[in-house]
């Protein structure tokens, strides 16, 4: 179609080929294929020029609109290959968002000033569904995404080790062995939180979770119970600045092999914004290394 438009504008196969940066035989062959497909000529070949046929005039007018639309789409794709022209929809799990956002957002604004963000909190499954259906651009999670379903790009960020939180009045031999903890005293988040599943696995509580009557919706709630001597819990390192800033709480390191999680940034594979998301991941890594 570009070739047909060029021939109509220049009224010459040679000049049209030069304008399109192709050889004249190649251009002529493509025009001939169009004419064969249409069943009628687009141009009358004269001795030193060409003349658009009545059908060719209609065809070229329509082709010009298609070419313009294609070029506009191409410009849009090229112009937005690096970043979307709207805020990036950033989802985080609740056991990360209140602790990491105050650290990383000032640096993200400094290092990537052209980007805007909208932030949401949700459990892992809901965040992954959001990435899959396009409701979320990137998600910061604490587990490896499932291999089935939509393909996701995964950018590892950093390891977030766990520690044991107890009441200040409790004594513990450090480092604390997870096997030494009384299962009935370990306080957990409610169903759907990946931190709950990680604590269950680390403390080998699978057989005990069904009988539990306590399940908190936030780490802050659990820490309040711990401070009052009503149990113990595992806390991620990134939460200590906020949740352990309480004289009623004591923090204990875990004996090897310990426990923890790997935080990652994920997005839909194949997105044109992958380079921007990679830069966001790198800024988060740099911010954590500087802590």
């Amino acid at each position: 179609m570009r070739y047909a438009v060029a021939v109509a504008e220049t009224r010459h196969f040679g000049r049209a080929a030069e304008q399109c940066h192709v050889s004249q035989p190649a251009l002529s062959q493509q025009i001939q294929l169009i004419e064969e497909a249409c069943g009628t000529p687009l141009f009358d070949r004269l001795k030193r020029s060409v003349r658009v046929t009545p059908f060719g005039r209609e065809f070229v007018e329509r082709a010009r609109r298609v070419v313009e639309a294609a070029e506009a789409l191409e410009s849009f794709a090229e112009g937005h290959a690096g970043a979307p022209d709207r805020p990036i929809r950033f989802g985080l799990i609740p056991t990360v968002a209140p602790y990491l956002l105050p650290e990383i957002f000032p640096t993200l604004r400094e290092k990537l000033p052209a980007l805007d963000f909208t932030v949401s909190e949700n459990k892992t499954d809901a965040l992954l569904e959001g990435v899959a259906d396009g409701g979320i651009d990137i998600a910061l999670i604490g587990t490896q995404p499932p291999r089935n379903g939509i393909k996701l790009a995964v950018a590892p960020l950093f390891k977030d080790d766990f520690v044991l939180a107890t009441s200040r009045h409790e004594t513990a031999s450090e480092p604390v062995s997870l096997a030494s903890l009384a299962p009935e005293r370990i306080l957990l988040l409610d169903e759907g939180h990946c931190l709950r599943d990680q604590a269950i696995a680390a403390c080998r509580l699978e057989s005990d979770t069904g009988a539990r009557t306590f399940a908190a919706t936030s780490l802050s709630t659990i820490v309040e119970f711990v401070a009052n001597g009503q149990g113990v819990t595992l806390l991620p390192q990134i939460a200590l600045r906020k949740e352990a800033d309480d004289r009623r709480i004591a923090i204990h390191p875990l004996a090897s092999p310990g426990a923890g999680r790997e935080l990652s940034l994920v997005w839909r594979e194949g997105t044109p914004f992958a380079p921007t998301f990679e830069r966001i991941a790198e800024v988060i890594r740099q911010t954590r290394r500087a802590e």
Side-chain angles (χ1 to χ4, degrees):
M1 286 187 285
R2 284 191 175 96
Y3 295 167
V5 170
V7 172
E9 289 175 347
T10 63
R11 296 184 180 273
H12 194 279
F13 276 82
R15 288 194 291 271
E18 185 178 348
Q19 179 178 303
C20 295
H21 306 289
V22 295
S23 67
Q24 183 173 333
L27 181 140
S28 297
Q29 183 182 24
Q30 293 300 313
I31 296 296
Q32 185 178 351
L33 289 173
I34 293 176
E35 291 176 328
E36 290 175 358
C38 295
T40 187
L42 301 182
F43 307 100
D44 292 326
R45 277 75 167 169
L46 307 177
K47 189 173 183 181
R48 294 186 178 179
S49 66
V50 298
R51 182 173 56 202
V52 185
T53 66
F55 174 81
R57 186 174 293 107
E58 281 286 326
F59 181 92
V60 168
E61 287 179 3
R62 294 170 185 267
R64 184 178 282 112
R65 293 196 293 270
V66 173
V67 169
E68 289 173 353
E71 289 174 346
L73 181 60
E74 186 177 13
S75 297
F76 168 80
E78 290 176 350
H80 297 82
D85 59 349
R86 53 166 173 75
I88 293 172
R89 296 163 299 194
F90 191 178
L92 301 94
I93 53 176
T95 56
V96 166
Y99 315 118
L100 191 61
L101 282 177
E103 292 182 19
I104 66 172
F105 249 62
T107 310
L108 285 172
R109 291 194 185 100
E110 177 189 348
K111 300 290 186 182
L112 304 171
L115 300 182
D116 291 319
F117 297 87
T118 59
V119 178
S120 61
E121 250 183 63
N122 218 322
K123 296 177 182 178
T124 303
D125 288 347
L127 292 180
L128 293 178
E129 287 177 11
V131 172
D133 64 23
I136 293 173
D137 295 309
I138 54 176
L140 203 161
I141 61 176
T143 58
Q144 283 295 314
R147 294 181 180 274
N148 58 329
I150 192 73
K151 288 186 177 180
L152 299 176
V154 181
L157 298 176
F158 58 89
K159 180 79 180 294
D160 188 22
D161 293 324
F162 297 162
V163 296
L164 182 71
T166 69
S167 163
R168 178 68 66 183
H169 302 295
E170 295 190 29
T171 59
S173 250
E174 295 186 354
V176 176
S177 168
L178 289 172
S180 69
L181 301 178
E184 66 276 7
R185 299 205 65 230
I186 299 174
L187 304 179
L188 301 171
L189 290 168
D190 65 2
E191 296 282 352
H193 287 279
C194 60
L195 185 59
R196 170 192 173 91
D197 299 332
Q198 290 156 346
I200 288 171
C203 301
R204 300 179 182 179
L205 300 178
E206 288 88 349
S207 60
D208 301 295
T209 54
R212 290 174 176 270
T213 57
F214 177 87
T217 58
S218 72
L219 284 178
S220 297
T221 301
I222 287 182
V223 168
E224 188 61 34
F225 275 80
V226 170
N228 289 316
Q230 295 173 273
V232 300
T233 196
L234 296 183
L235 287 180
Q237 284 279 355
I238 63 168
L240 296 186
R241 183 178 300 177
K242 181 176 180 180
E243 301 299 354
D245 187 22
D246 188 326
R247 293 183 179 180
R248 300 173 299 163
I249 294 289
I251 300 299
H252 310 278
L254 299 178
S256 181
R261 59 184 178 176
E262 180 81 24
L263 298 184
S264 301
L265 199 66
V266 301
W267 56 85
R268 191 180 179 116
E269 202 171 85
T271 173
F273 309 133
T276 293
F277 300 158
E278 289 282 5
R279 289 199 295 273
I280 293 171
E282 183 54 32
V283 168
I284 296 173
R285 293 187 199 104
Q286 291 172 356
T287 304
R288 287 299 301 175
R289 284 196 293 265
E291 285 294 313

